[in-house]
């Protein structure tokens, strides 16, 4: 396993978060995505906010330390829509976990 440090972190040290959850009601399909570039709580919040705006999303949990973003939605999401949301937040969707 390789550890990378992103010196371009929005908070400089990459130490301002331990997971951000955005819950917008309900349960459904849960998918875990791998996102590169998140280093702090602000990063987690930006990714969570963009993904939670997608139709059908009911909850998002982003964890910078692992690069994992868990998304719960009412139905399977279009991966290109998720990729576009992550890109809009300034990060890269690597794939599924």
């Amino acid at each position: 396993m390789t550890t990378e440090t992103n010196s371009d972190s929005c908070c400089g040290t990459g130490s301002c978060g331990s997971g951000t959850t955005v819950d917008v009601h309900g349960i459904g399909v849960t998918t875990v995505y791998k996102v590169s570039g998140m280093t702090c709580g602000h990063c987690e919040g930006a990714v969570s906010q963009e993904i939670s705006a997608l139709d059908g999303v009911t909850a998002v949990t982003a964890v910078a330390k692992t690069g994992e973003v868990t998304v719960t939605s009412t139905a399977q999401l279009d991966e290109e829509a998720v990729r576009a949301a992550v890109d809009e937040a300034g990060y890269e969707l690597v794939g599924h976990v």
Side-chain angles (χ1 to χ4, degrees):
M1 183 169 155
T2 302
T3 302
E4 278 186 45
T5 302
N6 183 352
S7 61
D8 295 330
S9 170
C10 59
C11 66
T13 64
S15 63
C16 61
S18 61
T20 297
T21 301
V22 175
D23 188 356
V24 289
H25 312 298
I27 58 172
V29 178
T30 299
T31 308
V32 181
Y33 297 97
K34 191 73 170 178
V35 173
S36 68
M38 294 189 303
T39 59
C40 67
H42 174 63
C43 300
E44 295 165 345
V47 170
S48 295
Q49 182 176 3
E50 290 296 332
I51 294 175
S52 68
L54 296 174
D55 286 340
V57 172
T58 58
V60 180
T61 302
V63 181
K65 185 174 182 175
T66 63
E68 293 182 0
V69 179
T70 304
V71 180
T72 303
S73 54
T74 56
Q76 188 67 41
L77 296 174
D78 175 56
E79 187 166 332
E80 287 308 309
V82 176
R83 185 176 309 282
V86 170
D87 185 61
E88 181 66 26
Y91 305 93
E92 181 183 356
L93 179 67
V94 177
H96 297 271
V97 174

